[in-house]
Amino acid sequence: MTMTETEAPAVRRLSTAKALSEGIALEMERDPSVFVMGEDVGAYGGIFGSTGGLLEQFGPTRIIDTPISETGFIGAGIGAATEGLRPVVELMFVDFFGVCFDQIYNHMAKIHFESGGNVAVPMVLMMAVGGGYNDAAQHSQCLWASFAHMPGMKVVVPSNPYDAKGLMISAIRDDGPVIYMFHKGVMGLPWMAKNPRSIGPVPEEAYEVPIGKAAVVHPGTDVTVVTVSLSVQHCQDVAEKLDGEGISAEVIDLRSLVPLDREAVLTSVAKTGRLLVVDEDYKSFGLSGELAATIAEQDPSMLRAPFARVTYPDVPVPYARSLEQAALPGRERIEAAIRSLVRA
Amino acid sequence: MDGAQRVAFYRQMVRIRTYEETIRANYHADKTPAWDIGAGLVPGEMHLSAGQEPVAVGLCAHLRDDDAITGPHRPHHLALAKGVDMKRMTAEIYGRVDGLGRGRGGHMHLFDPSQHFSCSGIIAEGMPVAVGQALAFSRKGTDAVAVAVAGEGAANQGAFHEALNLASLWKLPVVFVIEDNDWAISVPRPSSTSISSNAPRAAAYGMPGERVEGNDVEAIHDACGRAVSRARAGDGPTLLEIHTVRLWGHFEGDAQAYRGEELAVAESHDPIPAYEAKLRADGLLDDASVAAAKADAQAEVDAAVAFALASPVPDPSTLSDYVFA
Ligand SMILES: Cc1ncc(C[n+]2csc(CCOP(=O)(O)OP(=O)(O)O)c2C)c(N)n1
Ligand SMILES: [Mg+2]
């Protein structure tokens, strides 16, 4: 046995995109009923890399490039799922849900209920979300609350490579429809500015990350910061910075909006007495309001400072960088909000 | 066709190509050392139209200021040929307050009401809008027409089929133009569409349909002339499919590995040198007039970029402006 063989194996680090596609590949190897379809998922490997390498491994009968016919192929995914296949369907950007939402919320999300539980729709609908790279009003939205608002779909929003793989595997194994939203900014793409957190350790084997369970990604005692997706990375950065100044923020990555891990939020707020929600989706009628309501319903006296939120304002995403950067929930806004909360 | 018009077609195609080449160069110039889509003076996605100039030029030669166009995510050639102000369009692409949309829209969202020009980044969604513009024109008793332009990929979207049926049902002055550049991002036409020409689809909606091969501005001009006249005369909509070429990537930064050997073939079908050779052979162009066409175009484009750069970026305090009327 040589020296190198006795050394612990180097931790393998993958981008979120690679981790996600690996999750799909492992399930496809295990379960022949799993297949992928969507625009540019084949030779291109997904515009944001979610299906990289899959065509080469599984061929065009299981990795299917579709026409630009979202109602058609999402509906076809539903039908395939009700007949026992497990489709992973990609909608290229969440912003395009407008052309196909009937299939999503009137069919994919409701069939199980309408059939009295007799018809299952084991399907994953994955899509890119988020802005920050000047792609303007029709290609930069998050919109997760719009899906979460309507009953019947789980809504998953990973923030890092490890979770991306485990949540995808859980989503494929789930017997109901799962909306899987990956932020372009967490994918670790070579052609987009990225946080180093978008590349991280990922085990080679298949594993599940449970859907509906939040993670405390930065423990703290002074303030609870609840967030999802790319904003998790920003909040971790800010929390680490503030640690050095004696401000202890607890950052919670919800990892899914539906189911919503209210317990994790309540447990943390019971400890800190302060709640900040950071959300890149539009401000009103969304995640931040839902969490404020959660506290209000449970026990408003848990809070010793007023509830606070840093969100995307109720404005379509502007093209100009000066406007978009002002609108995004960036590190500066998050830091300022935490500082003012702990002073309150 | 008279020589002056042919030379004008050539000059307009050179103008558009010069515009796209300049935007392309500027787009990449400040994305160094690591290429980042969100960096530089012109960030975000950028879909350029090189190769498709004959469609815009042949079509727009028939259009007046009061005619409408709804364009797709690849709109520059159509905007410029229609008569959209190059300076204000460029300022929009640079995200400046003097842009067509005061920097809010960006390159996929160019709106010029004086030219009844608009475009959208959602595939095929401009097509029903053109139907509505045609409805307004006919209600107002004008003979203006509305043109919906989209790629061949868009012809598999529901909105395309609904718009054709509506326009025919209501006998509206609409011209549907499909720019078939063989590709929808990485998906070649045969992988997306069950028939090789969209012309027969017109019959399903009770309107004439025609496919134009060759990417030749004069043949395109002829076909568009028939369709626009029919619409203007009140005889209803037409579907045209024009076989053109995408010389560059789907968007800037697209490595195009999926195109393989087809890319070199496409590049050998650049319509501008081909048309130039034709006009030279007919004695309508020479070295001096070709050089002048290019110099005039570059001067106009440089002035437009200078206009854009001189315009301020929007002040963050105005973020909430224009959300509501
Ligand atoms: C509804 C919708 N689906 C998908 C997209 C993503 N998308 C942008 S351009 C494009 C390909 C369009 O192909 P085509 O219509 O042929 O136009 P081309 O790009 O070739 O000019 C796709 C799929 C979109 N913008 N809108
Ligand atoms: Mg095309």
Side-chain angles (χ1 to χ4, degrees), chain B residues 133-147:
Chain B
Q133 289 176 295
L135 178 67
F137 297 154
S138 61
R139 287 282 164 87
K140 288 177 176 173
T142 79
D143 67 348
V145 306
V147 183

Side-chain angles (χ1 to χ4, degrees), chain A residues 38-45 47-48 65-72 92-93 95-96 98-99 132-139 184 189-194 312-324 326-328, chain B residues 35-45 92-96 102-109 120-123 125 153-154 156-158 184-187 191-193 251 254-255 258 313-321 323:
Chain A
E39 292 155 18
D40 304 282
V41 298
Y44 203 103
I47 295 299
F48 301 101
D65 270 336
T66 61
I68 309 171
S69 307
E70 287 87 356
T71 289
M92 192 186 291
F93 288 68
D95 313 69
F96 308 157
V99 304
Y133 63 104
N134 307 86
D135 217 359
Q138 297 176 344
H139 291 77
K184 298 152 224 170
L189 301 167
W191 44 274
M192 195 180 282
K194 61 183 159 292
Y312 206 94
D314 296 326
V315 175
V317 181
Y319 167 62
R321 184 183 291 117
S322 58
L323 297 176
E324 191 192 13
L328 286 166
Chain B
W35 199 89
D36 171 8
I37 188 172
L41 289 172
V42 185
E45 279 181 70
E92 187 58 32
I93 293 168
Y94 276 74
R96 305 301 173 110
R102 301 182 167 101
R104 270 71 179 170
H107 113 103
M108 285 187 272
H109 313 290
S120 169
I122 309 295
I123 298 303
E125 292 296 299
N156 298 311
Q157 189 63 284
I185 313 185
S186 69
V187 179
S191 304
S192 74
T193 311
F251 34 39
D254 176 2
Y258 55 83
V313 300
D315 191 290
S317 69
T318 65
L319 177 63
S320 300
D321 291 0
V323 177

Side-chain angles (χ1 to χ4, degrees), chain A residues 70-72 74-76 78 91 96-111 114 123 125 147 150-151 153, chain B residues 162:
Chain A
E70 287 87 356
T71 289
I74 291 173
I78 296 168
L91 174 65
F96 308 157
F97 81 145
V99 304
C100 53
F101 210 50
D102 187 74
Q103 290 295 336
I104 297 170
Y105 92 100
N106 263 329
H107 296 86
M108 189 185 82
K110 292 180 183 167
I111 285 174
E114 291 170 325
M123 163 171 172
L125 182 58
F147 290 79
M150 299 185 197
M153 304 170 263
Chain B
E162 295 183 23

Side-chain angles (χ1 to χ4, degrees), chain B residues 52 74 151-153 179-185 246:
Chain B
Q52 301 181 196
R74 194 182 305 288
E152 89 294 338
E179 293 183 282
D180 176 7
N181 61 8
D182 296 325
W183 292 94
I185 313 185
R246 195 187 89 197

